[in-house]
Amino acid sequence: MCLTCGCGTNEVFIRGRQPHRAGKASAPARFRPHVTEATVSDASHIALSHVNESPLEFPHENQKHTLPSGRRGELEGDPPSNPPPGEGVGESFEFKIGDEDASRIVKLEQDILAKNDAHATTNRNLFAEAGILALNLVSSPGSGKTTLLVRTLEMLKGRLPVAVVEGDQQTENDAERIRATGVEAIQINTGKGCHLDAQMIEHALQQMAMPQGGVLFIENVGNLVCPSAFDLGEAAKVVVLSVTEGEDKPLKYPDMFRAAKLMLLNKCDLLPHLSFDVARVEEYARRVNPDIVIIRLSATTGEGLGDWLAWLDAQRAV
């Protein structure tokens, strides 16, 4: 379990079409990320959801209690006694622990993020040396990130080198859509993980041809929470919000909108059919982040894409 956001980490797979460096195997790169499991003493308030994992031990007042694989439950105070095999599966629980352990998790989180930041610095230096603008595209699932990215790549074709790192829990579907445009795409499957981290990107970069002097788009896992905490070495986070979502998303997920440099308000062609208040969502976004740039666009009709490309050119000139 990731000690920072509580997501599962499982094994991560990095997939590309072919190796670009001598000695690299063509099979998917495979490695274990920073943390693979945790006990309750590793977090002050963890929502646990383990499936097909070994039982975990939860220390509580010098006692050990085992959670059967796949069990979910609701726990306040003392842990329940161990249920018979096969019982308890499908329940859910929360386990709150004391201030001493809470201070420990703060230290653990700091250590994990410090390790991530070290990898991010490595990536950032590599991007700077190669003159690459790296952008971290973030959103909730279904915002239209991949469609927007495909349209962007088509418009950039012939103008400058581009490459893509795709992040999803499973499948290479989005990477295949990118490759169909003629652009190289490396797929990272995070398994149970809900975000990309800098170490995953560092490994992916070793499997691909760098777009020297161009743009690297990193399409993160669809999630408006955890990706906000992880620096990948990018020049900017770009949050994509569709008009089919609620106007209050910036208030519900402030960390993401605070971390983003640009908000792309996508699917604006659907506005005549929706009761979505554009002025309100923009006001909410600026309430969270007064410096955020907002571009209204539609990946389907092409509305606003010129402004998006102009923003890209401005960022490359910085």
Side-chain angles (χ1 to χ4, degrees), residues 71-146:
R71 182 173 178 349
R72 308 178 184 199
E74 185 78 31
L75 175 62
E76 292 289 345
D78 291 335
S81 59
N82 293 336
E87 292 187 13
V89 176
E91 302 170 8
S92 65
F93 79 87
E94 289 182 344
F95 197 162
K96 297 180 182 179
I97 62 178
D99 292 340
E100 182 178 349
D101 284 323
S103 63
R104 181 167 177 247
I105 185 59
V106 170
K107 178 63 165 62
L108 287 168
E109 288 180 351
Q110 290 173 341
D111 290 345
I112 291 167
L113 289 177
K115 181 177 180 180
N116 180 81
D117 289 347
H119 288 286
T121 297
T122 298
N123 296 342
R124 186 170 282 109
N125 290 340
L126 183 60
F127 297 145
E129 291 170 3
I132 294 171
L133 173 66
L135 298 176
N136 185 359
L137 304 184
V138 294
S139 77
S140 57
S143 68
K145 273 200 316 296
T146 308

Side-chain angles (χ1 to χ4, degrees), residues 39 112 200 219 239 265 271-272 277 305:
T39 63
I112 291 167
M200 297 177 193
E219 185 176 352
V239 60
L265 189 60
L271 284 172
D277 191 328
L305 291 184

Side-chain angles (χ1 to χ4, degrees), residues 172-307:
E172 287 191 74
N173 293 350
D174 287 351
E176 293 294 350
R177 291 176 63 185
I178 299 301
R179 292 168 187 150
T181 69
V183 172
E184 180 180 15
I186 296 293
Q187 178 72 59
I188 300 178
N189 288 137
T190 60
K192 294 179 184 177
C194 60
H195 61 273
L196 298 176
D197 65 29
Q199 187 179 16
M200 297 177 193
I201 300 302
E202 186 177 343
H203 279 265
L205 295 176
Q206 297 169 7
Q207 308 295 320
M208 67 187 303
M210 297 287 284
Q212 301 281 336
V215 180
L216 174 68
F217 294 99
I218 303 170
E219 185 176 352
N220 218 312
V221 178
N223 181 358
L224 283 176
V225 182
C226 306
S228 66
F230 287 83
D231 180 10
L232 306 181
E234 74 271 14
K237 287 182 173 65
V238 177
V239 60
V240 181
L241 178 66
S242 72
V243 299
T244 55
E245 303 174 66
E247 297 103 333
D248 59 352
K249 280 291 176 70
L251 301 182
K252 286 184 174 180
Y253 305 96
D255 287 349
M256 180 59 76
F257 288 84
R258 191 176 295 116
K261 197 169 186 177
L262 172 69
M263 181 178 91
L264 297 177
L265 189 60
N266 194 23
K267 304 185 183 181
C268 284
D269 56 302
L270 298 178
L271 284 172
H273 311 288
L274 303 170
S275 58
F276 184 89
D277 191 328
V278 173
R280 178 175 296 176
V281 73
E282 292 182 348
E283 190 274 322
Y284 287 160
R286 291 193 173 102
R287 185 186 302 181
V288 171
N289 180 358
D291 297 324
I292 196 168
V293 177
I294 301 173
I295 296 176
R296 305 177 188 181
L297 52 74
S298 167
T300 301
T301 66
E303 172 191 352
L305 291 184
D307 294 335

